[in-house]
Amino acid sequence: NAGVTQTPKFRVLKTGQSMTLLCAQDMNHEYMYWYRQDPGMGLRLIHYSVGEGTTAKGEVPDGYNVSRLKKQNFLLGLESAAPSQTSVYFCASGQARGVGQYYNQETQYFGPGTRLLVL
Amino acid sequence: AQSVTQLGSHVSVSEGALVLLRCNYSSSVPPYLFWYVQYPNQGLQLLLKYTSAATLVKGINGFEAEFKKSETSFHLTKPSAHMSDAAEYFCAVKGNDMRFGAGTRLTVKP
């Protein structure tokens, strides 16, 4: 069981370039998430998905797009990179637990992160 | 919307001393609360979570946290710090989505 893996581990981009970050999970989880981590700000949710073929915006979605064509994969795209997108990006997956009012007590499992530097 | 505030961006303790990392939450619905730990150059790992079953939650590596509704707090404690506990710790609250605190970096002095 690899858990959650992310590709690439590190990338340097020039302003205006595009790239795609890949997240893969082998735990058959329904939910997947993309976060960015910046110093002093904790993790902020970019986009998430509650199932194959579905995506939704999180707290800081501008400048990013996502796709969930397969249940195990969640792609994060930057169409035109900006220096403000220099960050560490984490993918996570989770599975809802509980019933009724306790539904969705999910634990999120995180990947090792991708360091992105935009010059 | 829910949010968490972690008091203290850096905490330093001596090996063997009590560890106390503070977290206060805000939530309009009964909260689900989490503590995660992040070691250098790694992703986040779950330490423990509160899901309303018990107010005192025990986690891995000897950590525990107590949910206090009256104080809207979910502080993380460990009776005796070990060098291997040095890491960054994040408190999080789950409502429609997960909101993380800014993190507290724990340093353990020999």
Coordinates of all heavy atoms in Angstrom, one line a residue, chain A residues 41-102:
Chain A
M41 N 0.8 30.2 7.6 CA -0.6 30.2 7.2 C -1.2 28.8 7.2 O -2.4 28.6 6.9 CB -0.7 30.8 5.8 CG -0.2 32.2 5.7 SD -0.6 32.9 4.1 CE -2.3 33.3 4.3
G42 N -0.5 27.8 7.7 CA -1.0 26.5 7.7 C -1.3 26.0 6.3 O -0.7 26.4 5.3
L43 N -2.3 25.1 6.2 CA -2.7 24.6 4.9 C -4.0 25.2 4.5 O -4.9 25.4 5.3 CB -2.9 23.1 5.0 CG -1.7 22.2 4.9 CD1 -0.9 22.2 6.1 CD2 -2.1 20.8 4.5
R44 N -4.1 25.6 3.3 CA -5.4 26.2 2.7 C -5.9 25.3 1.6 O -5.1 24.9 0.7 CB -5.1 27.6 2.3 CG -4.9 28.6 3.4 CD -4.6 30.0 2.9 NE -3.4 30.1 2.2 CZ -3.1 31.1 1.4 NH1 -3.9 32.1 1.3 NH2 -1.9 31.2 0.8
L45 N -7.1 25.0 1.6 CA -7.7 24.2 0.6 C -7.9 24.9 -0.7 O -8.5 26.0 -0.8 CB -9.1 23.7 1.1 CG -9.8 22.7 0.2 CD1 -9.1 21.4 0.1 CD2 -11.2 22.4 0.8
I46 N -7.4 24.3 -1.8 CA -7.5 24.8 -3.1 C -8.8 24.3 -3.8 O -9.7 25.1 -4.2 CB -6.3 24.5 -4.0 CG1 -5.0 24.9 -3.3 CG2 -6.4 25.1 -5.4 CD1 -3.7 24.4 -3.9
H47 N -8.8 23.0 -4.1 CA -10.0 22.4 -4.6 C -10.1 21.0 -4.0 O -9.2 20.5 -3.4 CB -9.8 22.2 -6.2 CG -9.9 23.4 -7.0 ND1 -11.2 23.9 -7.4 CD2 -9.0 24.2 -7.5 CE1 -11.0 25.0 -8.1 NE2 -9.6 25.1 -8.3
Y48 N -11.3 20.4 -4.1 CA -11.5 19.1 -3.6 C -12.5 18.3 -4.5 O -13.1 18.9 -5.4 CB -12.0 19.1 -2.2 CG -13.3 19.7 -1.9 CD1 -14.4 18.9 -1.7 CD2 -13.5 21.1 -1.8 CE1 -15.7 19.5 -1.5 CE2 -14.7 21.7 -1.5 CZ -15.8 20.9 -1.4 OH -17.0 21.4 -1.1
S49 N -12.6 17.1 -4.2 CA -13.5 16.2 -5.0 C -14.1 15.2 -4.1 O -13.4 14.6 -3.3 CB -12.7 15.5 -6.1 OG -13.5 14.5 -6.7
V50 N -15.4 15.0 -4.2 CA -16.1 14.0 -3.4 C -16.4 12.7 -4.1 O -17.1 11.9 -3.6 CB -17.4 14.6 -2.8 CG1 -17.1 15.8 -1.9 CG2 -18.4 15.0 -3.9
G51 N -15.9 12.6 -5.3 CA -16.1 11.4 -6.1 C -15.6 11.6 -7.5 O -15.4 12.7 -8.0
E52 N -15.4 10.5 -8.2 CA -15.0 10.5 -9.6 C -15.9 11.4 -10.4 O -17.1 11.3 -10.3 CB -15.0 9.0 -10.1 CG -14.5 8.9 -11.5 CD -14.5 7.4 -12.0 OE1 -14.2 6.6 -11.1 OE2 -14.9 7.2 -13.1
G53 N -15.3 12.2 -11.2 CA -16.0 13.1 -12.1 C -16.6 14.4 -11.4 O -17.2 15.2 -12.1
T54 N -16.3 14.6 -10.1 CA -16.8 15.8 -9.4 C -15.6 16.6 -8.9 O -14.6 16.0 -8.4 CB -17.7 15.4 -8.3 OG1 -16.9 14.9 -7.2 CG2 -18.8 14.4 -8.7
T55 N -15.7 17.9 -8.9 CA -14.8 18.8 -8.3 C -15.5 20.0 -7.7 O -16.6 20.3 -8.1 CB -13.7 19.3 -9.3 OG1 -14.3 20.0 -10.3 CG2 -12.9 18.1 -9.9
A56 N -14.9 20.6 -6.7 CA -15.4 21.8 -6.1 C -14.3 22.7 -5.6 O -13.2 22.3 -5.4 CB -16.3 21.4 -4.9
K57 N -14.7 24.0 -5.5 CA -13.7 25.0 -5.1 C -13.6 25.0 -3.6 O -14.5 24.8 -2.8 CB -14.1 26.4 -5.6 CG -14.1 26.6 -7.1 CD -14.6 28.0 -7.5 CE -14.6 28.1 -9.0 NZ -15.0 29.5 -9.4
G58 N -12.3 25.2 -3.2 CA -12.0 25.4 -1.8 C -11.9 26.8 -1.4 O -12.5 27.7 -2.0
E59 N -10.9 27.1 -0.5 CA -10.7 28.4 0.1 C -10.0 29.3 -0.9 O -10.3 30.5 -1.0 CB -10.0 28.3 1.4 CG -9.8 29.5 2.2 CD -9.0 29.2 3.5 OE1 -8.7 28.1 3.7 OE2 -8.7 30.2 4.2
V60 N -9.0 28.8 -1.6 CA -8.2 29.6 -2.5 C -8.1 29.0 -3.9 O -7.0 28.5 -4.3 CB -6.8 29.8 -1.9 CG1 -6.8 30.7 -0.7 CG2 -6.1 28.4 -1.5
P61 N -9.1 29.0 -4.7 CA -9.1 28.2 -6.0 C -8.6 29.0 -7.2 O -8.2 28.4 -8.2 CB -10.6 28.0 -6.2 CG -11.3 29.2 -5.6 CD -10.4 29.5 -4.4
D62 N -8.4 30.3 -7.0 CA -8.1 31.1 -8.2 C -6.7 30.8 -8.7 O -5.7 30.7 -8.0 CB -8.1 32.6 -7.9 CG -9.5 33.1 -7.5 OD1 -10.5 32.3 -7.9 OD2 -9.7 34.1 -6.9
G63 N -6.6 30.6 -10.1 CA -5.4 30.3 -10.7 C -5.1 28.8 -10.9 O -4.1 28.4 -11.4
Y64 N -6.0 28.0 -10.4 CA -5.8 26.5 -10.4 C -7.1 25.9 -11.0 O -8.2 26.4 -10.9 CB -5.7 26.0 -9.0 CG -4.6 26.6 -8.2 CD1 -4.8 27.6 -7.3 CD2 -3.3 26.1 -8.3 CE1 -3.8 28.2 -6.5 CE2 -2.3 26.6 -7.5 CZ -2.5 27.7 -6.6 OH -1.6 28.2 -5.9
N65 N -6.8 24.7 -11.7 CA -7.9 23.9 -12.1 C -7.6 22.5 -11.7 O -6.5 22.1 -11.5 CB -8.2 24.0 -13.6 CG -6.9 23.7 -14.4 OD1 -6.5 22.5 -14.6 ND2 -6.3 24.7 -14.9
V66 N -8.7 21.7 -11.6 CA -8.5 20.3 -11.2 C -9.3 19.4 -12.1 O -10.3 19.8 -12.7 CB -8.9 20.1 -9.7 CG1 -7.8 20.7 -8.8 CG2 -10.3 20.6 -9.4
S67 N -9.0 18.1 -12.1 CA -9.8 17.1 -12.7 C -9.7 15.8 -12.0 O -8.6 15.4 -11.4 CB -9.4 16.9 -14.2 OG -8.1 16.4 -14.3
R68 N -10.8 15.1 -12.0 CA -10.9 13.8 -11.3 C -11.5 12.8 -12.2 O -12.7 12.4 -12.1 CB -11.7 13.9 -10.0 CG -11.7 12.6 -9.2 CD -10.8 12.6 -8.0 NE -10.8 11.4 -7.3 CZ -11.6 11.1 -6.2 NH1 -12.4 12.1 -5.8 NH2 -11.5 10.0 -5.6
L69 N -10.8 12.4 -13.2 CA -11.3 11.5 -14.3 C -11.4 10.0 -13.8 O -12.2 9.3 -14.2 CB -10.5 11.6 -15.6 CG -10.5 13.0 -16.2 CD1 -9.7 13.0 -17.5 CD2 -11.9 13.4 -16.5
K70 N -10.4 9.7 -12.9 CA -10.4 8.4 -12.3 C -10.5 8.5 -10.8 O -9.9 9.5 -10.2 CB -9.1 7.6 -12.7 CG -9.0 7.3 -14.2 CD -7.7 6.5 -14.4 CE -7.6 6.1 -15.9 NZ -6.4 5.3 -16.1
K71 N -11.1 7.6 -10.1 CA -11.2 7.7 -8.7 C -9.9 7.8 -8.0 O -9.8 8.5 -7.0 CB -12.0 6.4 -8.2 CG -12.3 6.5 -6.7 CD -13.1 5.2 -6.3 CE -13.6 5.3 -4.9 NZ -14.3 4.1 -4.5
Q72 N -8.9 7.1 -8.5 CA -7.6 7.1 -7.7 C -6.7 8.3 -8.0 O -5.7 8.5 -7.4 CB -6.9 5.8 -8.0 CG -6.4 5.6 -9.5 CD -7.5 4.9 -10.3 OE1 -8.7 5.0 -10.1 NE2 -7.0 4.1 -11.3
N73 N -7.1 9.1 -9.0 CA -6.2 10.2 -9.4 C -6.9 11.6 -9.3 O -8.1 11.7 -9.6 CB -5.7 10.1 -10.8 CG -4.9 8.9 -11.0 OD1 -4.2 8.4 -10.1 ND2 -4.8 8.4 -12.3
F74 N -6.1 12.6 -8.9 CA -6.6 13.9 -8.7 C -5.6 14.9 -9.2 O -4.5 14.9 -8.7 CB -7.0 14.2 -7.3 CG -7.9 15.4 -7.1 CD1 -8.8 15.9 -8.0 CD2 -7.8 16.1 -5.9 CE1 -9.6 17.0 -7.8 CE2 -8.6 17.3 -5.7 CZ -9.5 17.7 -6.6
L75 N -5.8 15.6 -10.3 CA -4.8 16.4 -11.0 C -5.0 17.9 -10.6 O -6.2 18.3 -10.6 CB -4.9 16.2 -12.5 CG -4.8 14.8 -13.1 CD1 -4.9 14.8 -14.6 CD2 -3.5 14.2 -12.6
L76 N -4.0 18.6 -10.4 CA -4.0 20.0 -10.1 C -3.2 20.7 -11.2 O -2.1 20.4 -11.4 CB -3.4 20.3 -8.8 CG -3.3 21.8 -8.4 CD1 -4.7 22.4 -8.1 CD2 -2.4 22.0 -7.2
G77 N -3.9 21.6 -11.9 CA -3.2 22.3 -13.0 C -3.0 23.8 -12.7 O -3.9 24.4 -12.1
L78 N -1.9 24.3 -13.2 CA -1.6 25.7 -13.2 C -1.5 26.1 -14.7 O -0.6 25.7 -15.3 CB -0.4 26.1 -12.5 CG -0.3 26.0 -10.9 CD1 -0.3 24.5 -10.5 CD2 0.9 26.7 -10.4
E79 N -2.4 26.9 -15.2 CA -2.4 27.3 -16.6 C -1.3 28.3 -16.9 O -0.7 28.2 -17.9 CB -3.8 27.8 -17.0 CG -4.8 26.7 -17.0 CD -6.2 27.2 -17.6 OE1 -6.3 28.4 -17.8 OE2 -7.0 26.3 -17.8
S80 N -1.2 29.3 -16.0 CA -0.2 30.3 -16.2 C 0.4 30.7 -14.9 O -0.2 31.5 -14.1 CB -0.9 31.5 -16.8 OG 0.1 32.6 -17.0
A81 N 1.5 30.1 -14.5 CA 2.1 30.2 -13.2 C 2.5 31.6 -12.9 O 3.0 32.3 -13.7 CB 3.2 29.2 -13.0
A82 N 2.3 32.0 -11.6 CA 2.7 33.3 -11.1 C 3.5 33.1 -9.8 O 3.4 32.0 -9.1 CB 1.4 34.1 -10.7
P83 N 4.4 34.0 -9.5 CA 5.3 33.9 -8.3 C 4.5 33.6 -7.1 O 5.0 33.0 -6.1 CB 6.0 35.2 -8.3 CG 6.1 35.6 -9.8 CD 4.8 35.2 -10.4
S84 N 3.3 34.2 -7.0 CA 2.4 34.0 -5.8 C 2.0 32.5 -5.6 O 1.5 32.2 -4.5 CB 1.2 34.9 -5.9 OG 0.4 34.5 -7.0
Q85 N 2.2 31.7 -6.6 CA 1.9 30.3 -6.5 C 3.1 29.4 -6.0 O 3.0 28.2 -5.9 CB 1.4 29.8 -7.8 CG 0.0 30.4 -8.2 CD -0.5 30.0 -9.5 OE1 0.1 30.1 -10.6 NE2 -1.7 29.4 -9.5
T86 N 4.2 30.1 -5.7 CA 5.3 29.4 -5.1 C 4.8 28.9 -3.7 O 4.4 29.7 -2.9 CB 6.5 30.4 -4.9 OG1 7.0 30.7 -6.2 CG2 7.6 29.7 -4.1
S87 N 4.9 27.6 -3.5 CA 4.4 27.0 -2.3 C 4.7 25.6 -2.3 O 5.4 25.0 -3.2 CB 2.8 27.2 -2.3 OG 2.3 26.8 -1.1
V88 N 4.3 24.9 -1.2 CA 4.4 23.5 -1.1 C 2.9 23.0 -1.2 O 2.0 23.4 -0.5 CB 5.0 23.0 0.2 CG1 5.0 21.5 0.2 CG2 6.4 23.6 0.4
Y89 N 2.7 22.1 -2.2 CA 1.4 21.6 -2.4 C 1.2 20.2 -1.9 O 2.0 19.3 -2.1 CB 1.1 21.6 -4.0 CG 1.0 23.0 -4.5 CD1 2.2 23.7 -4.9 CD2 -0.2 23.6 -4.6 CE1 2.1 25.0 -5.3 CE2 -0.3 24.9 -5.1 CZ 0.9 25.6 -5.4 OH 0.8 26.9 -5.9
F90 N 0.1 20.0 -1.2 CA -0.2 18.7 -0.6 C -1.5 18.1 -1.1 O -2.5 18.9 -1.2 CB -0.2 18.7 0.9 CG 1.1 18.9 1.6 CD1 1.5 20.1 2.0 CD2 1.9 17.8 1.8 CE1 2.8 20.3 2.6 CE2 3.2 17.9 2.4 CZ 3.6 19.2 2.8
C91 N -1.5 16.9 -1.4 CA -2.7 16.2 -1.8 C -3.1 15.3 -0.6 O -2.2 14.9 0.2 CB -2.4 15.3 -3.0 SG -3.8 14.3 -3.5
A92 N -4.4 15.1 -0.4 CA -4.9 14.3 0.6 C -6.1 13.5 0.1 O -6.8 13.9 -0.8 CB -5.3 15.1 1.9
S93 N -6.3 12.4 0.7 CA -7.6 11.6 0.4 C -8.2 11.2 1.7 O -7.6 11.1 2.8 CB -7.2 10.4 -0.5 OG -6.5 9.4 0.3
G94 N -9.5 10.9 1.6 CA -10.2 10.4 2.8 C -11.5 9.7 2.4 O -12.0 9.7 1.3
Q95 N -12.1 9.0 3.4 CA -13.3 8.3 3.2 C -14.2 8.7 4.4 O -13.8 8.6 5.5 CB -13.0 6.8 3.3 CG -14.2 5.9 2.9 CD -14.5 5.9 1.4 OE1 -13.7 6.4 0.6 NE2 -15.6 5.4 1.0
A96 N -15.4 9.0 4.0 CA -16.4 9.4 5.1 C -16.7 8.3 6.0 O -16.7 7.1 5.6 CB -17.7 9.9 4.4
R97 N -16.9 8.6 7.3 CA -17.2 7.6 8.3 C -18.4 8.1 9.1 O -18.7 9.3 9.1 CB -16.1 7.5 9.2 CG -14.8 6.8 8.6 CD -15.0 5.3 8.5 NE -13.8 4.7 8.0 CZ -13.6 4.4 6.7 NH1 -14.6 4.7 5.8 NH2 -12.5 3.9 6.2
G98 N -19.1 7.2 9.7 CA -20.2 7.6 10.6 C -21.6 7.6 9.9 O -21.7 7.3 8.7
V99 N -22.6 7.8 10.7 CA -23.9 7.9 10.2 C -24.6 9.1 10.8 O -24.2 9.6 11.8 CB -24.7 6.6 10.5 CG1 -24.1 5.4 9.8 CG2 -24.8 6.4 12.0
G100 N -25.7 9.5 10.1 CA -26.5 10.6 10.6 C -25.7 11.9 10.9 O -25.0 12.3 10.0
Q101 N -25.9 12.4 12.1 CA -25.2 13.7 12.4 C -23.7 13.5 12.5 O -22.9 14.5 12.5 CB -25.7 14.2 13.7 CG -25.5 13.4 14.9 CD -25.9 14.0 16.2 OE1 -25.7 15.2 16.4 NE2 -26.6 13.3 17.1
Y102 N -23.2 12.2 12.6 CA -21.8 12.0 12.7 C -21.2 11.6 11.4 O -20.1 11.2 11.3 CB -21.6 10.9 13.8 CG -22.2 11.2 15.1 CD1 -23.2 10.4 15.6 CD2 -21.7 12.2 15.9 CE1 -23.8 10.7 16.8 CE2 -22.3 12.5 17.1 CZ -23.3 11.7 17.5 OH -23.9 12.0 18.7

